[in-house]
Amino acid sequence: MRAVARAHPNIALIKYWGKAPAPGNVPAVPSLSITLDTLTTTTTVSESGADVFRLDGRQSDDPRVAACLDNLRRRYDIPPLSVQSDNDFPTAAGLASSASGFAALVTAVDAAFGLRMTPAERSELARQASASAARSVFGGFVTLEAPAWTAEPLLDEAEWPLRVIIAVTDTASKAVPSSDGMRRSAATSPFYPAWVDSAGDDFRSASSAVLARDFAMLADLAEHSCLKMHGLMLSSRPGLLYWNAATLACLHRIRALRADGEAVFFTVDAGPQVKAVCLPESEGAVVDALSGVSGVRQLLVSGLGPGAWVDGS
Ligand code: PMV
């Protein structure tokens, strides 16, 4: 009655921001992501006298963990649990720690109690806690769309081995958690209806670009989706401003690299880190350029990796 599961974060290329008015934490827009192969969440679950959750060695009372366990217990007979989750990277700083965290948690509970869930069911349960977590159940290029709202693999990581360089510009926890930010954008941004209306086209075009391995087309769509989401955030009231000066400097640097012929584009989530996605042959130039940007504290280099897995499997 004990299991260890691991999962990597994923980075959305077509962004999710906003929830549908439906139960179960259903997104208002489809999304497309890549699962990484470096940053890792390791989650151990075991039977215990009462539910206890420890994150990075400290007791935590994140209500999303209790809600996730409640959802599991609506379907399965699960005793009180000790859950220990450790990230080998900064938590809640726009590096998608909730995505890898909930994918690993559901996968660990499934393994510990021999529940034999399908990957789609694990993805559904992870989504109820954090919609981006639905995507970390799978590896490579992953989609999350209506009507099922369980993630699905689109293209295996080995089929198009892109590289991701993450420029860490700040490691503090984010100011406004994504769920609060999404509620604020839906309630106050005049751009919200246009965001929801245009997301389907971006998603379908980007899915085609991935299947065609069309880097230029994917670069155009991913930067558009990222900047449109940040436009939505900025136009919320009060405005959600997740960037710092180094974030913006990295975006200009990446645009300049692309103008010089490097195959690279950027994306940024609800935090100040910049993710540069490139073809393998451009990795060296991207690392060199971003390491010279003032305010960049650390570069993390990743390939594309697998979905959540159980230790020893
Ligand atoms: O699923 P959440 O609550 O972690 O929200 C994720 C939101 C973004 O990272 C900004 C976009 C995305 O699709 O991952």
Side-chain angles (χ1 to χ4, degrees):
M1 298 303 153
R2 179 180 182 280
V4 180
R6 295 181 202 271
H8 298 300
N10 67 78
I11 307 293
L13 304 183
I14 297 298
K15 303 293 190 188
Y16 146 61
W17 193 256
K19 297 176 196 291
N25 197 31
V26 175
V29 293
S31 56
L32 188 160
S33 62
I34 44 179
T35 303
L36 302 182
D37 73 354
T38 27
L39 314 177
T40 308
T41 299
T42 301
T43 300
T44 305
V45 302
S46 52
E47 235 180 296
S48 161
D51 282 343
V52 194
F53 174 50
R54 292 178 75 78
L55 177 61
D56 291 330
R58 287 204 201 129
Q59 192 153 337
S60 158
D61 54 6
D62 186 335
R64 293 177 305 170
V65 175
C68 183
L69 296 178
D70 284 351
N71 285 333
L72 280 155
R73 287 183 178 122
R74 260 183 221 123
R75 293 184 193 181
Y76 300 102
D77 187 17
I78 297 166
L81 293 179
S82 153
V83 176
Q84 168 72 47
S85 190
D86 294 295
N87 293 321
D88 67 359
F89 59 97
T91 295
L95 289 175
S97 56
S98 62
S100 50
F102 287 106
L105 173 59
V106 173
T107 302
V109 172
D110 178 38
F113 299 98
L115 305 179
R116 298 172 166 277
M117 288 185 212
T118 61
E121 187 180 4
R122 281 188 288 128
S123 178
E124 181 196 358
L125 284 157
R127 186 207 71 227
Q128 291 173 0
S130 163
S132 57
R135 302 184 308 235
S136 272
V137 167
F138 299 98
F141 296 80
V142 179
T143 59
L144 179 62
E145 62 174 317
W149 295 110
T150 60
E152 283 178 28
L154 177 68
L155 187 70
D156 192 80
E157 59 268 30
E159 300 286 326
W160 200 21
L162 302 183
R163 306 292 294 169
V164 183
I165 293 96
I166 301 173
V168 178
T169 64
D170 192 350
T171 52
S173 287
K174 62 183 131 184
V176 181
S178 49
S179 285
D180 298 348
M182 289 181 200
R183 253 189 303 276
R184 190 186 297 177
S185 296
T188 64
S189 171
F191 302 159
Y192 189 73
W195 163 255
V196 173
D197 284 350
S198 59
D201 281 348
D202 295 342
F203 171 79
R204 280 184 291 276
S205 302
S207 300
S208 306
V210 167
L211 291 174
R213 287 21 158 224
D214 186 334
F215 190 88
M217 185 175 165
L218 185 62
D220 173 61
L221 288 159
E223 288 194 356
H224 175 61
S225 176
C226 165
L227 293 175
K228 192 159 49 172
M229 178 182 76
H230 284 275
L232 185 66
M233 293 162 161
L234 291 167
S235 60
S236 304
R237 251 191 180 160
L240 295 158
L241 183 46
Y242 287 108
W243 298 356
N244 58 34
T247 311
L248 192 54
C250 287
L251 304 193
H252 284 298
R253 200 68 197 83
I254 291 165
R255 283 263 167 107
L257 280 169
R258 196 158 74 250
D260 277 351
E262 299 295 347
V264 60
F265 63 84
F266 61 72
T267 190
V268 187
D269 291 298
Q273 329 306 358
V274 176
K275 291 96 179 190
V277 180
C278 66
L279 290 178
E281 51 269 35
S282 288
E283 178 182 328
V286 174
V287 167
D288 279 357
L290 293 182
S291 59
V293 173
S294 160
V296 170
R297 298 176 180 206
Q298 192 189 356
L299 291 182
L300 304 165
V301 178
S302 178
L304 305 195
W309 73 100
V310 178
D311 244 27
S313 65

